[in-house]
Amino acid sequence: RDKGMSCKEIASYLSDFIPRVSSSFLTYNADHMYYNSRVNKFVKKLCDTFKIHPVFMVIDGKMVVKKFYVGTYTRAMTKYIDYIVGDPSTIDTQTGFITYVDCNEELLEQIRTGVGNKVDFDTIYEQQASATISTNSGPKTFGLLFVRN
């Protein structure tokens, strides 16, 4: 708007921009996802039994289970960051977001370090997740949000 673009031009720009936005979250466990009917009882039991940490991605405006990591949460965090970042040269490094739910400072520092080792964002914002994400995903959930080139 400030650049004098018409509504049609803005809509066209946004329809090209939206698919480039990467929005995903790693959850500590599947408890809250089960309580909110995002996963069934079988999936929750598998996650509990085998220390499985689900990854949710926003795809076409819907939050879907994309991947699972087995093992300690620290291992899952490392694998998640590697997977989500992928090829760092494809990321617009101007701005990134770490969105989290009830993470202590030690956990946040691990996340910062892991992200910083993969991508050098000019600015990275840390923010508490919304009430909706917090309720649906539970404590120790964190997400990485950024734009790809």
Side-chain angles (χ1 to χ4, degrees):
R1 180 190 67 87
D2 292 346
K3 294 180 181 179
M5 294 171 70
S6 69
C7 288
K8 192 173 186 174
E9 291 170 322
I10 293 170
S12 176
Y13 170 80
L14 289 175
S15 67
D16 292 340
F17 180 79
I18 289 170
R20 294 179 24 227
V21 175
S22 177
S23 178
S24 62
F25 296 87
L26 173 71
T27 61
Y28 184 73
N29 57 37
D31 291 356
H32 282 72
M33 301 310 263
Y34 170 70
Y35 300 143
N36 292 295
S37 302
R38 298 271 183 197
V39 298
N40 63 35
K41 189 174 189 173
F42 177 73
V43 171
K44 182 198 174 319
K45 189 145 184 90
L46 278 176
C47 290
D48 291 347
T49 303
F50 296 106
K51 294 183 181 179
I52 296 173
H53 310 280
V55 173
F56 292 85
M57 294 185 89
V58 178
I59 300 174
D60 295 328
K62 296 179 183 169
M63 198 158 85
V64 297
V65 178
K66 183 66 176 176
K67 212 167 181 44
F68 295 96
Y69 292 109
V70 179
T72 67
Y73 193 57
T74 301
R75 180 181 183 279
M77 287 171 35
T78 301
K79 294 286 190 182
Y80 164 73
I81 292 168
D82 289 346
Y83 170 71
I84 293 303
V85 169
D87 178 3
S89 69
T90 66
I91 295 175
D92 177 346
T93 58
Q94 183 177 351
T95 306
F97 293 87
I98 296 172
T99 302
Y100 61 92
V101 179
D102 197 24
C103 292
N104 62 31
E105 187 57 37
E106 181 182 334
L107 185 56
L108 280 172
E109 186 55 37
Q110 286 179 319
I111 296 166
R112 282 183 208 113
T113 300
V115 172
N117 288 340
K118 296 294 285 181
V119 183
D120 186 20
F121 286 105
D122 298 339
T123 304
I124 191 151
Y125 295 99
E126 295 176 13
Q127 61 188 17
Q128 283 276 8
S130 69
T132 301
I133 290 173
S134 299
T135 302
N136 282 314
S137 58
K140 296 186 182 177
T141 293
F142 81 96
L144 299 178
L145 298 91
F146 53 85
V147 176
R148 294 212 181 266
N149 294 322

